[in-house]
Structures are given as structure tokens and as C-alpha cells.
Short mmCIF file of all heavy atoms in Angstrom, two decimals:
data_model
loop_
_atom_site.label_atom_id
_atom_site.label_comp_id
_atom_site.label_asym_id
_atom_site.label_seq_id
_atom_site.Cartn_x
_atom_site.Cartn_y
_atom_site.Cartn_z
N MET A 1 -9.59 4.98 -21.51
CA MET A 1 -9.89 4.21 -20.33
C MET A 1 -8.60 4.02 -19.54
O MET A 1 -8.00 4.98 -19.19
CB MET A 1 -10.54 2.91 -20.72
CG MET A 1 -11.87 3.10 -21.40
SD MET A 1 -12.76 1.58 -21.35
CE MET A 1 -14.38 2.20 -21.13
N GLY A 2 -8.16 2.83 -19.24
CA GLY A 2 -6.93 2.64 -18.50
C GLY A 2 -7.11 1.70 -17.34
O GLY A 2 -7.95 0.81 -17.36
N VAL A 3 -6.31 1.94 -16.32
CA VAL A 3 -6.32 1.07 -15.14
C VAL A 3 -6.93 1.83 -13.97
O VAL A 3 -6.56 2.98 -13.70
CB VAL A 3 -4.89 0.62 -14.79
CG1 VAL A 3 -4.89 -0.23 -13.55
CG2 VAL A 3 -4.27 -0.14 -15.96
N VAL A 4 -7.84 1.18 -13.30
CA VAL A 4 -8.46 1.72 -12.09
C VAL A 4 -7.91 0.93 -10.92
O VAL A 4 -7.89 -0.30 -10.95
CB VAL A 4 -10.00 1.60 -12.15
CG1 VAL A 4 -10.61 2.11 -10.86
CG2 VAL A 4 -10.53 2.35 -13.35
N ARG A 5 -7.44 1.64 -9.89
CA ARG A 5 -6.84 0.95 -8.74
C ARG A 5 -7.49 1.40 -7.45
O ARG A 5 -7.87 2.55 -7.29
CB ARG A 5 -5.35 1.23 -8.66
CG ARG A 5 -4.56 0.56 -9.74
CD ARG A 5 -3.08 0.63 -9.43
NE ARG A 5 -2.32 -0.15 -10.36
CZ ARG A 5 -1.71 0.34 -11.43
NH1 ARG A 5 -1.79 1.62 -11.70
NH2 ARG A 5 -1.04 -0.46 -12.23
N SER A 6 -7.52 0.46 -6.52
CA SER A 6 -7.94 0.74 -5.16
C SER A 6 -6.87 0.18 -4.23
O SER A 6 -6.45 -0.96 -4.37
CB SER A 6 -9.29 0.07 -4.88
OG SER A 6 -9.67 0.29 -3.54
N VAL A 7 -6.41 1.01 -3.28
CA VAL A 7 -5.36 0.60 -2.35
C VAL A 7 -5.94 0.71 -0.94
O VAL A 7 -6.48 1.75 -0.56
CB VAL A 7 -4.12 1.50 -2.48
CG1 VAL A 7 -3.06 1.10 -1.47
CG2 VAL A 7 -3.56 1.44 -3.89
N LEU A 8 -5.80 -0.37 -0.17
CA LEU A 8 -6.32 -0.41 1.20
C LEU A 8 -5.22 -0.91 2.12
O LEU A 8 -4.61 -1.95 1.87
CB LEU A 8 -7.52 -1.35 1.28
CG LEU A 8 -8.11 -1.59 2.66
CD1 LEU A 8 -8.77 -0.33 3.17
CD2 LEU A 8 -9.11 -2.72 2.58
N ALA A 9 -4.94 -0.16 3.18
CA ALA A 9 -3.93 -0.57 4.16
C ALA A 9 -4.54 -0.48 5.55
O ALA A 9 -5.39 0.36 5.83
CB ALA A 9 -2.70 0.32 4.09
N ASP A 10 -4.11 -1.38 6.42
CA ASP A 10 -4.57 -1.40 7.81
C ASP A 10 -3.35 -1.48 8.71
O ASP A 10 -2.69 -2.51 8.78
CB ASP A 10 -5.50 -2.59 8.04
CG ASP A 10 -6.04 -2.64 9.46
OD1 ASP A 10 -6.00 -1.60 10.16
OD2 ASP A 10 -6.50 -3.71 9.88
N GLY A 11 -3.04 -0.38 9.38
CA GLY A 11 -1.91 -0.34 10.31
C GLY A 11 -2.22 -1.18 11.53
O GLY A 11 -3.27 -1.06 12.13
N GLN A 12 -1.30 -2.06 11.88
CA GLN A 12 -1.49 -2.96 13.02
C GLN A 12 -0.84 -2.34 14.25
O GLN A 12 0.37 -2.37 14.40
CB GLN A 12 -0.87 -4.32 12.71
CG GLN A 12 -1.35 -4.93 11.42
CD GLN A 12 -2.82 -5.27 11.46
OE1 GLN A 12 -3.27 -5.95 12.37
NE2 GLN A 12 -3.56 -4.78 10.49
N ASN A 13 -1.67 -1.78 15.13
CA ASN A 13 -1.17 -1.12 16.32
C ASN A 13 -2.27 -1.12 17.37
O ASN A 13 -3.43 -1.29 17.05
CB ASN A 13 -0.74 0.31 15.98
CG ASN A 13 0.22 0.88 16.99
OD1 ASN A 13 0.01 0.73 18.19
ND2 ASN A 13 1.27 1.51 16.52
N LEU A 14 -1.92 -0.88 18.59
CA LEU A 14 -2.91 -0.86 19.66
C LEU A 14 -3.72 0.42 19.71
O LEU A 14 -4.84 0.43 20.18
CB LEU A 14 -2.22 -1.07 21.01
CG LEU A 14 -1.50 -2.40 21.20
CD1 LEU A 14 -0.76 -2.41 22.53
CD2 LEU A 14 -2.49 -3.54 21.14
N TRP A 15 -3.17 1.53 19.22
CA TRP A 15 -3.84 2.81 19.30
C TRP A 15 -4.37 3.21 17.94
O TRP A 15 -3.66 3.16 16.94
CB TRP A 15 -2.88 3.87 19.83
CG TRP A 15 -2.34 3.49 21.16
CD1 TRP A 15 -2.97 3.61 22.36
CD2 TRP A 15 -1.08 2.88 21.43
NE1 TRP A 15 -2.17 3.12 23.36
CE2 TRP A 15 -1.00 2.66 22.83
CE3 TRP A 15 0.00 2.50 20.64
CZ2 TRP A 15 0.10 2.10 23.44
CZ3 TRP A 15 1.09 1.93 21.24
CH2 TRP A 15 1.14 1.74 22.63
N SER A 16 -5.61 3.62 17.91
CA SER A 16 -6.25 3.92 16.62
C SER A 16 -5.58 5.06 15.88
O SER A 16 -5.47 5.03 14.67
CB SER A 16 -7.73 4.21 16.82
OG SER A 16 -7.90 5.35 17.64
N ARG A 17 -5.12 6.09 16.57
CA ARG A 17 -4.48 7.22 15.90
C ARG A 17 -3.18 6.78 15.23
O ARG A 17 -2.89 7.13 14.10
CB ARG A 17 -4.21 8.35 16.88
CG ARG A 17 -3.60 9.56 16.17
CD ARG A 17 -3.66 10.75 17.03
NE ARG A 17 -5.07 11.12 17.13
CZ ARG A 17 -5.52 12.27 17.53
NH1 ARG A 17 -4.69 13.19 17.90
NH2 ARG A 17 -6.80 12.52 17.58
N ALA A 18 -2.39 5.98 15.94
CA ALA A 18 -1.14 5.48 15.36
C ALA A 18 -1.42 4.55 14.18
O ALA A 18 -0.72 4.60 13.17
CB ALA A 18 -0.32 4.76 16.43
N SER A 19 -2.45 3.74 14.29
CA SER A 19 -2.82 2.84 13.19
C SER A 19 -3.21 3.63 11.95
O SER A 19 -2.84 3.28 10.84
CB SER A 19 -3.98 1.94 13.61
OG SER A 19 -3.58 1.05 14.60
N LYS A 20 -3.97 4.70 12.16
CA LYS A 20 -4.38 5.53 11.03
C LYS A 20 -3.16 6.19 10.38
O LYS A 20 -3.07 6.26 9.15
CB LYS A 20 -5.37 6.60 11.48
CG LYS A 20 -5.85 7.46 10.34
CD LYS A 20 -6.86 8.47 10.77
CE LYS A 20 -7.28 9.29 9.56
NZ LYS A 20 -8.19 10.35 9.90
N THR A 21 -2.23 6.64 11.18
CA THR A 21 -1.02 7.26 10.66
C THR A 21 -0.22 6.27 9.81
O THR A 21 0.23 6.60 8.70
CB THR A 21 -0.14 7.79 11.81
OG1 THR A 21 -0.89 8.75 12.54
CG2 THR A 21 1.15 8.42 11.29
N ILE A 22 -0.07 5.07 10.31
CA ILE A 22 0.66 4.04 9.58
C ILE A 22 -0.05 3.69 8.29
O ILE A 22 0.56 3.60 7.22
CB ILE A 22 0.85 2.79 10.47
CG1 ILE A 22 1.80 3.13 11.62
CG2 ILE A 22 1.37 1.61 9.66
CD1 ILE A 22 1.77 2.14 12.75
N SER A 23 -1.37 3.50 8.37
CA SER A 23 -2.16 3.16 7.18
C SER A 23 -2.04 4.23 6.12
O SER A 23 -1.82 3.94 4.93
CB SER A 23 -3.63 2.98 7.55
OG SER A 23 -3.79 1.93 8.46
N THR A 24 -2.16 5.47 6.52
CA THR A 24 -2.07 6.59 5.58
C THR A 24 -0.70 6.66 4.94
O THR A 24 -0.57 6.88 3.73
CB THR A 24 -2.41 7.91 6.30
OG1 THR A 24 -3.72 7.81 6.86
CG2 THR A 24 -2.35 9.09 5.35
N MET A 25 0.34 6.46 5.74
CA MET A 25 1.70 6.50 5.22
C MET A 25 1.90 5.42 4.15
O MET A 25 2.48 5.68 3.09
CB MET A 25 2.70 6.30 6.37
CG MET A 25 4.14 6.36 5.96
SD MET A 25 5.30 6.30 7.32
CE MET A 25 5.02 4.67 7.96
N VAL A 26 1.43 4.21 4.41
CA VAL A 26 1.59 3.10 3.46
C VAL A 26 0.78 3.36 2.19
O VAL A 26 1.29 3.15 1.07
CB VAL A 26 1.18 1.77 4.12
CG1 VAL A 26 1.12 0.65 3.10
CG2 VAL A 26 2.14 1.41 5.24
N VAL A 27 -0.45 3.83 2.32
CA VAL A 27 -1.28 4.08 1.13
C VAL A 27 -0.67 5.19 0.27
O VAL A 27 -0.64 5.07 -0.96
CB VAL A 27 -2.73 4.44 1.54
CG1 VAL A 27 -3.51 5.00 0.37
CG2 VAL A 27 -3.43 3.21 2.10
N ARG A 28 -0.17 6.24 0.90
CA ARG A 28 0.45 7.32 0.12
C ARG A 28 1.69 6.84 -0.64
O ARG A 28 1.89 7.18 -1.80
CB ARG A 28 0.81 8.48 1.03
CG ARG A 28 -0.39 9.28 1.44
CD ARG A 28 -0.01 10.48 2.25
NE ARG A 28 -1.23 11.22 2.60
CZ ARG A 28 -1.27 12.16 3.51
NH1 ARG A 28 -0.18 12.49 4.16
NH2 ARG A 28 -2.40 12.77 3.78
N LYS A 29 2.52 6.06 0.03
CA LYS A 29 3.72 5.53 -0.63
C LYS A 29 3.33 4.62 -1.78
O LYS A 29 3.87 4.71 -2.88
CB LYS A 29 4.59 4.78 0.40
CG LYS A 29 5.88 4.26 -0.18
CD LYS A 29 6.77 5.40 -0.64
CE LYS A 29 8.13 4.90 -1.07
NZ LYS A 29 8.97 5.99 -1.55
N GLU A 30 2.39 3.73 -1.52
CA GLU A 30 1.92 2.79 -2.54
C GLU A 30 1.32 3.52 -3.73
O GLU A 30 1.61 3.21 -4.89
CB GLU A 30 0.88 1.83 -1.93
CG GLU A 30 0.43 0.76 -2.86
CD GLU A 30 1.52 -0.26 -3.12
OE1 GLU A 30 2.41 -0.44 -2.29
OE2 GLU A 30 1.44 -0.90 -4.19
N SER A 31 0.49 4.50 -3.47
CA SER A 31 -0.15 5.26 -4.54
C SER A 31 0.87 6.01 -5.38
O SER A 31 0.75 6.06 -6.61
CB SER A 31 -1.17 6.25 -3.95
OG SER A 31 -2.20 5.56 -3.31
N ALA A 32 1.89 6.57 -4.73
CA ALA A 32 2.95 7.27 -5.47
C ALA A 32 3.71 6.31 -6.38
O ALA A 32 4.00 6.64 -7.53
CB ALA A 32 3.90 7.95 -4.49
N LEU A 33 4.02 5.14 -5.86
CA LEU A 33 4.73 4.15 -6.67
C LEU A 33 3.89 3.69 -7.86
O LEU A 33 4.40 3.58 -8.99
CB LEU A 33 5.13 2.94 -5.81
CG LEU A 33 6.21 3.23 -4.76
CD1 LEU A 33 6.29 2.08 -3.76
CD2 LEU A 33 7.55 3.46 -5.43
N LEU A 34 2.63 3.43 -7.63
CA LEU A 34 1.75 3.00 -8.72
C LEU A 34 1.59 4.10 -9.77
O LEU A 34 1.56 3.83 -10.97
CB LEU A 34 0.38 2.59 -8.17
CG LEU A 34 0.37 1.32 -7.31
CD1 LEU A 34 -0.98 1.14 -6.65
CD2 LEU A 34 0.76 0.10 -8.12
N ALA A 35 1.52 5.35 -9.32
CA ALA A 35 1.41 6.48 -10.26
C ALA A 35 2.66 6.61 -11.12
O ALA A 35 2.59 7.07 -12.26
CB ALA A 35 1.16 7.77 -9.49
N GLU A 36 3.82 6.19 -10.59
CA GLU A 36 5.07 6.22 -11.36
C GLU A 36 5.16 5.07 -12.35
O GLU A 36 6.10 5.01 -13.14
CB GLU A 36 6.26 6.16 -10.41
CG GLU A 36 6.45 7.39 -9.58
CD GLU A 36 7.59 7.26 -8.58
OE1 GLU A 36 8.37 6.28 -8.67
OE2 GLU A 36 7.71 8.12 -7.71
N GLY A 37 4.23 4.13 -12.28
CA GLY A 37 4.23 3.01 -13.22
C GLY A 37 4.82 1.72 -12.68
O GLY A 37 5.00 0.77 -13.43
N VAL A 38 5.12 1.69 -11.39
CA VAL A 38 5.67 0.47 -10.78
C VAL A 38 4.55 -0.59 -10.73
O VAL A 38 3.41 -0.27 -10.44
CB VAL A 38 6.21 0.76 -9.36
CG1 VAL A 38 6.71 -0.49 -8.70
CG2 VAL A 38 7.29 1.83 -9.42
N ARG A 39 4.89 -1.82 -11.03
CA ARG A 39 3.89 -2.89 -11.00
C ARG A 39 3.41 -3.15 -9.58
O ARG A 39 4.11 -2.88 -8.62
CB ARG A 39 4.48 -4.18 -11.57
CG ARG A 39 4.72 -4.07 -13.06
CD ARG A 39 5.22 -5.40 -13.59
NE ARG A 39 5.36 -5.35 -15.01
CZ ARG A 39 4.51 -5.95 -15.85
NH1 ARG A 39 3.50 -6.62 -15.39
NH2 ARG A 39 4.72 -5.87 -17.14
N ASP A 40 2.21 -3.70 -9.46
CA ASP A 40 1.55 -3.87 -8.17
C ASP A 40 2.40 -4.61 -7.14
O ASP A 40 2.58 -4.14 -6.02
CB ASP A 40 0.22 -4.62 -8.34
CG ASP A 40 -0.79 -3.83 -9.14
OD1 ASP A 40 -0.45 -2.75 -9.67
OD2 ASP A 40 -1.94 -4.29 -9.24
N GLY A 41 2.92 -5.78 -7.50
CA GLY A 41 3.70 -6.59 -6.57
C GLY A 41 4.97 -5.90 -6.12
O GLY A 41 5.33 -5.91 -4.94
N ALA A 42 5.67 -5.28 -7.08
CA ALA A 42 6.91 -4.58 -6.75
C ALA A 42 6.62 -3.36 -5.87
O ALA A 42 7.37 -3.06 -4.94
CB ALA A 42 7.63 -4.14 -8.03
N ALA A 43 5.52 -2.68 -6.14
CA ALA A 43 5.14 -1.52 -5.33
C ALA A 43 4.79 -1.95 -3.91
O ALA A 43 5.14 -1.27 -2.94
CB ALA A 43 3.98 -0.78 -5.97
N ALA A 44 4.13 -3.09 -3.77
CA ALA A 44 3.77 -3.60 -2.44
C ALA A 44 5.03 -3.93 -1.64
O ALA A 44 5.13 -3.61 -0.45
CB ALA A 44 2.87 -4.82 -2.56
N ARG A 45 5.99 -4.57 -2.29
CA ARG A 45 7.24 -4.89 -1.60
C ARG A 45 8.00 -3.63 -1.22
O ARG A 45 8.56 -3.52 -0.13
CB ARG A 45 8.10 -5.81 -2.47
CG ARG A 45 7.54 -7.23 -2.57
CD ARG A 45 8.49 -8.16 -3.30
NE ARG A 45 8.70 -7.81 -4.70
CZ ARG A 45 7.89 -8.10 -5.69
NH1 ARG A 45 6.79 -8.79 -5.45
NH2 ARG A 45 8.17 -7.76 -6.93
N ALA A 46 8.01 -2.65 -2.11
CA ALA A 46 8.70 -1.39 -1.83
C ALA A 46 8.03 -0.64 -0.68
O ALA A 46 8.72 -0.07 0.18
CB ALA A 46 8.74 -0.52 -3.08
N ALA A 47 6.72 -0.64 -0.64
CA ALA A 47 6.00 0.02 0.46
C ALA A 47 6.27 -0.69 1.78
O ALA A 47 6.41 -0.05 2.83
CB ALA A 47 4.50 0.06 0.17
N SER A 48 6.38 -2.01 1.74
CA SER A 48 6.71 -2.77 2.94
C SER A 48 8.11 -2.42 3.43
O SER A 48 8.31 -2.20 4.64
CB SER A 48 6.62 -4.27 2.64
OG SER A 48 7.04 -5.02 3.75
N ASP A 49 9.06 -2.35 2.52
CA ASP A 49 10.43 -1.97 2.87
C ASP A 49 10.47 -0.55 3.44
O ASP A 49 11.18 -0.27 4.40
CB ASP A 49 11.35 -2.07 1.67
CG ASP A 49 11.60 -3.50 1.23
OD1 ASP A 49 11.28 -4.43 2.01
OD2 ASP A 49 12.10 -3.68 0.11
N TYR A 50 9.69 0.34 2.83
CA TYR A 50 9.62 1.73 3.29
C TYR A 50 9.09 1.79 4.73
O TYR A 50 9.67 2.48 5.58
CB TYR A 50 8.71 2.51 2.35
CG TYR A 50 8.41 3.92 2.79
CD1 TYR A 50 9.38 4.92 2.68
CD2 TYR A 50 7.16 4.26 3.28
CE1 TYR A 50 9.09 6.23 3.07
CE2 TYR A 50 6.87 5.55 3.68
CZ TYR A 50 7.84 6.53 3.58
OH TYR A 50 7.56 7.81 3.97
N LEU A 51 8.02 1.06 5.02
CA LEU A 51 7.45 1.06 6.37
C LEU A 51 8.45 0.49 7.36
O LEU A 51 8.64 1.04 8.45
CB LEU A 51 6.16 0.24 6.40
CG LEU A 51 5.50 0.08 7.78
CD1 LEU A 51 5.10 1.44 8.34
CD2 LEU A 51 4.30 -0.85 7.69
N TYR A 52 9.11 -0.59 7.00
CA TYR A 52 10.10 -1.21 7.88
C TYR A 52 11.23 -0.22 8.20
O TYR A 52 11.64 -0.07 9.36
CB TYR A 52 10.67 -2.46 7.22
CG TYR A 52 11.60 -3.24 8.13
CD1 TYR A 52 11.10 -4.18 9.02
CD2 TYR A 52 12.97 -3.01 8.09
CE1 TYR A 52 11.95 -4.89 9.86
CE2 TYR A 52 13.82 -3.71 8.93
CZ TYR A 52 13.31 -4.65 9.81
OH TYR A 52 14.15 -5.33 10.65
N THR A 53 11.69 0.48 7.19
CA THR A 53 12.78 1.43 7.37
C THR A 53 12.34 2.64 8.19
O THR A 53 13.05 3.06 9.12
CB THR A 53 13.31 1.91 6.00
OG1 THR A 53 13.75 0.78 5.26
CG2 THR A 53 14.44 2.90 6.15
N GLU A 54 11.18 3.20 7.88
CA GLU A 54 10.69 4.39 8.57
C GLU A 54 10.38 4.14 10.04
O GLU A 54 10.53 5.03 10.86
CB GLU A 54 9.44 4.94 7.87
CG GLU A 54 9.72 5.60 6.55
CD GLU A 54 10.55 6.86 6.70
OE1 GLU A 54 10.22 7.73 7.53
OE2 GLU A 54 11.56 6.98 5.97
N ARG A 55 9.91 2.95 10.35
CA ARG A 55 9.48 2.64 11.72
C ARG A 55 10.38 1.61 12.40
O ARG A 55 9.98 0.98 13.38
CB ARG A 55 8.03 2.16 11.73
CG ARG A 55 7.05 3.19 11.22
CD ARG A 55 7.06 4.43 12.10
NE ARG A 55 6.24 5.47 11.54
CZ ARG A 55 5.36 6.17 12.22
NH1 ARG A 55 5.19 5.96 13.49
NH2 ARG A 55 4.65 7.11 11.63
N ASN A 56 11.58 1.44 11.88
CA ASN A 56 12.59 0.55 12.47
C ASN A 56 12.07 -0.87 12.72
O ASN A 56 12.46 -1.52 13.70
CB ASN A 56 13.12 1.14 13.78
CG ASN A 56 13.81 2.47 13.56
OD1 ASN A 56 14.59 2.61 12.63
ND2 ASN A 56 13.52 3.44 14.40
N GLY A 57 11.20 -1.35 11.87
CA GLY A 57 10.69 -2.71 11.97
C GLY A 57 9.76 -2.97 13.14
O GLY A 57 9.47 -4.11 13.46
N LYS A 58 9.26 -1.91 13.78
CA LYS A 58 8.45 -2.07 14.99
C LYS A 58 6.95 -2.08 14.74
O LYS A 58 6.19 -2.33 15.67
CB LYS A 58 8.80 -0.96 15.98
CG LYS A 58 10.23 -1.07 16.47
CD LYS A 58 10.55 0.01 17.47
CE LYS A 58 12.00 -0.14 17.90
NZ LYS A 58 12.40 0.91 18.81
N VAL A 59 6.51 -1.80 13.52
CA VAL A 59 5.09 -1.82 13.21
C VAL A 59 4.85 -2.62 11.93
O VAL A 59 5.77 -2.82 11.14
CB VAL A 59 4.50 -0.40 13.05
CG1 VAL A 59 4.59 0.38 14.33
CG2 VAL A 59 5.18 0.35 11.92
N THR A 60 3.63 -3.05 11.76
CA THR A 60 3.25 -3.77 10.55
C THR A 60 1.94 -3.21 10.01
O THR A 60 1.21 -2.52 10.72
CB THR A 60 3.06 -5.29 10.81
OG1 THR A 60 2.02 -5.45 11.78
CG2 THR A 60 4.35 -5.92 11.28
N ALA A 61 1.66 -3.53 8.78
CA ALA A 61 0.41 -3.12 8.15
C ALA A 61 0.04 -4.16 7.10
O ALA A 61 0.92 -4.73 6.46
CB ALA A 61 0.55 -1.74 7.50
N THR A 62 -1.24 -4.40 6.96
CA THR A 62 -1.69 -5.23 5.85
C THR A 62 -1.94 -4.30 4.66
O THR A 62 -2.30 -3.14 4.84
CB THR A 62 -2.98 -6.00 6.18
OG1 THR A 62 -4.02 -5.05 6.51
CG2 THR A 62 -2.76 -6.93 7.35
N LEU A 63 -1.74 -4.82 3.47
CA LEU A 63 -1.90 -4.01 2.27
C LEU A 63 -2.61 -4.84 1.21
O LEU A 63 -2.22 -5.98 0.95
CB LEU A 63 -0.53 -3.57 1.74
CG LEU A 63 -0.50 -2.81 0.42
CD1 LEU A 63 -1.19 -1.46 0.56
CD2 LEU A 63 0.93 -2.63 -0.05
N ASN A 64 -3.64 -4.27 0.61
CA ASN A 64 -4.37 -4.92 -0.47
C ASN A 64 -4.49 -3.93 -1.62
O ASN A 64 -4.79 -2.75 -1.40
CB ASN A 64 -5.77 -5.35 -0.02
CG ASN A 64 -5.70 -6.34 1.11
OD1 ASN A 64 -5.12 -7.40 0.97
ND2 ASN A 64 -6.28 -5.99 2.24
N ILE A 65 -4.25 -4.43 -2.83
CA ILE A 65 -4.37 -3.60 -4.04
C ILE A 65 -5.30 -4.32 -5.01
O ILE A 65 -5.12 -5.51 -5.28
CB ILE A 65 -3.01 -3.39 -4.73
CG1 ILE A 65 -1.97 -2.88 -3.75
CG2 ILE A 65 -3.15 -2.46 -5.92
CD1 ILE A 65 -0.55 -3.00 -4.27
N LEU A 66 -6.26 -3.60 -5.52
CA LEU A 66 -7.15 -4.13 -6.55
C LEU A 66 -6.95 -3.28 -7.79
O LEU A 66 -7.13 -2.06 -7.76
CB LEU A 66 -8.61 -4.04 -6.09
CG LEU A 66 -9.66 -4.44 -7.10
CD1 LEU A 66 -9.56 -5.94 -7.38
CD2 LEU A 66 -11.03 -4.08 -6.62
N SER A 67 -6.49 -3.90 -8.88
CA SER A 67 -6.25 -3.20 -10.14
C SER A 67 -7.15 -3.79 -11.21
O SER A 67 -7.15 -5.00 -11.43
CB SER A 67 -4.80 -3.35 -10.58
OG SER A 67 -3.94 -2.75 -9.65
N ALA A 68 -7.89 -2.92 -11.87
CA ALA A 68 -8.77 -3.34 -12.95
C ALA A 68 -8.33 -2.64 -14.23
O ALA A 68 -8.38 -1.41 -14.32
CB ALA A 68 -10.22 -3.01 -12.64
N ASP A 69 -7.88 -3.42 -15.21
CA ASP A 69 -7.50 -2.88 -16.51
C ASP A 69 -8.73 -2.93 -17.40
O ASP A 69 -9.19 -4.01 -17.79
CB ASP A 69 -6.35 -3.69 -17.11
CG ASP A 69 -5.80 -3.06 -18.38
OD1 ASP A 69 -6.57 -2.37 -19.10
OD2 ASP A 69 -4.61 -3.26 -18.65
N LEU A 70 -9.27 -1.77 -17.71
CA LEU A 70 -10.53 -1.70 -18.45
C LEU A 70 -10.36 -1.99 -19.94
O LEU A 70 -11.34 -2.30 -20.61
CB LEU A 70 -11.17 -0.34 -18.23
CG LEU A 70 -11.43 0.03 -16.77
CD1 LEU A 70 -12.00 1.43 -16.66
CD2 LEU A 70 -12.35 -0.98 -16.11
N GLN A 71 -9.13 -1.91 -20.45
CA GLN A 71 -8.90 -2.21 -21.86
C GLN A 71 -8.83 -3.71 -22.12
O GLN A 71 -9.30 -4.19 -23.13
CB GLN A 71 -7.65 -1.51 -22.35
CG GLN A 71 -7.79 -0.01 -22.40
CD GLN A 71 -6.52 0.68 -22.85
OE1 GLN A 71 -5.44 0.09 -22.81
NE2 GLN A 71 -6.65 1.93 -23.28
N THR A 72 -8.18 -4.43 -21.20
CA THR A 72 -8.00 -5.87 -21.41
C THR A 72 -8.95 -6.71 -20.55
O THR A 72 -8.90 -7.93 -20.60
CB THR A 72 -6.56 -6.29 -21.05
OG1 THR A 72 -6.32 -6.01 -19.66
CG2 THR A 72 -5.55 -5.56 -21.92
N ASN A 73 -9.81 -6.03 -19.78
CA ASN A 73 -10.75 -6.70 -18.88
C ASN A 73 -10.01 -7.65 -17.94
O ASN A 73 -10.42 -8.80 -17.73
CB ASN A 73 -11.83 -7.46 -19.66
CG ASN A 73 -12.73 -6.52 -20.41
OD1 ASN A 73 -13.03 -5.43 -19.92
ND2 ASN A 73 -13.18 -6.91 -21.58
N THR A 74 -8.91 -7.17 -17.36
CA THR A 74 -8.10 -7.95 -16.45
C THR A 74 -8.22 -7.39 -15.04
O THR A 74 -8.18 -6.17 -14.85
CB THR A 74 -6.62 -7.91 -16.88
OG1 THR A 74 -6.52 -8.36 -18.22
CG2 THR A 74 -5.77 -8.79 -15.99
N LEU A 75 -8.35 -8.27 -14.06
CA LEU A 75 -8.44 -7.88 -12.66
C LEU A 75 -7.28 -8.52 -11.92
O LEU A 75 -7.06 -9.72 -12.02
CB LEU A 75 -9.78 -8.34 -12.08
CG LEU A 75 -10.09 -7.95 -10.64
CD1 LEU A 75 -10.24 -6.44 -10.54
CD2 LEU A 75 -11.35 -8.64 -10.19
N VAL A 76 -6.52 -7.72 -11.18
CA VAL A 76 -5.39 -8.23 -10.40
C VAL A 76 -5.61 -7.84 -8.95
O VAL A 76 -5.84 -6.67 -8.64
CB VAL A 76 -4.04 -7.63 -10.90
CG1 VAL A 76 -2.90 -8.09 -10.02
CG2 VAL A 76 -3.80 -8.02 -12.34
N ILE A 77 -5.53 -8.84 -8.07
CA ILE A 77 -5.65 -8.60 -6.64
C ILE A 77 -4.31 -8.93 -6.01
O ILE A 77 -3.81 -10.04 -6.14
CB ILE A 77 -6.77 -9.46 -6.02
CG1 ILE A 77 -8.10 -9.15 -6.67
CG2 ILE A 77 -6.82 -9.25 -4.50
CD1 ILE A 77 -9.21 -10.09 -6.31
N THR A 78 -3.72 -7.95 -5.34
CA THR A 78 -2.44 -8.14 -4.65
C THR A 78 -2.69 -7.98 -3.16
O THR A 78 -3.22 -6.96 -2.72
CB THR A 78 -1.41 -7.10 -5.12
OG1 THR A 78 -1.31 -7.16 -6.54
CG2 THR A 78 -0.06 -7.35 -4.50
N ALA A 79 -2.32 -9.02 -2.41
CA ALA A 79 -2.53 -8.96 -0.94
C ALA A 79 -1.26 -9.31 -0.23
O ALA A 79 -0.40 -9.96 -0.73
CB ALA A 79 -3.63 -9.92 -0.56
#
């Protein structure tokens, strides 16, 4: 079994194409960090730092992570 995760990001921008680009960038970074074994909260902070650095602090995104550990029946929500 293991851990099942869902990552959702919403790029905050006026144009839908730019928002999608930002959202995709954040989800990919977050997913890569989680796959490396980084904990949810630390991965969220790292993805935030990554977005800030890549876009010079000019854009924002909301990020939500839902992690379900099927072995210990534990649910963690990171927002």
C-alpha cells in the first residue's frame, strides 16, 4: 500500500493561460519534491520559494496537498 497524494494548485493571475502555466509549474515542483520523500509542509514551502524565485515575486498561487497513508489510516491536509 503506501501513501496516496493529491496536489492542487491555482495560479493567481488575470489571464487564464498564465494561471494554468503557474499552476502546472507549482504542481510539478511539488510532485517532484514529494516523490523524493520531502514532507508535505517542507515541500509546500520549497515550492513557494521556487515560484517566488522563478517569477521574481510577481505572481502567487494557492497550494493544497491531501496525503492519505493507507497503512496507518492517517490523513494530512496541507493548505
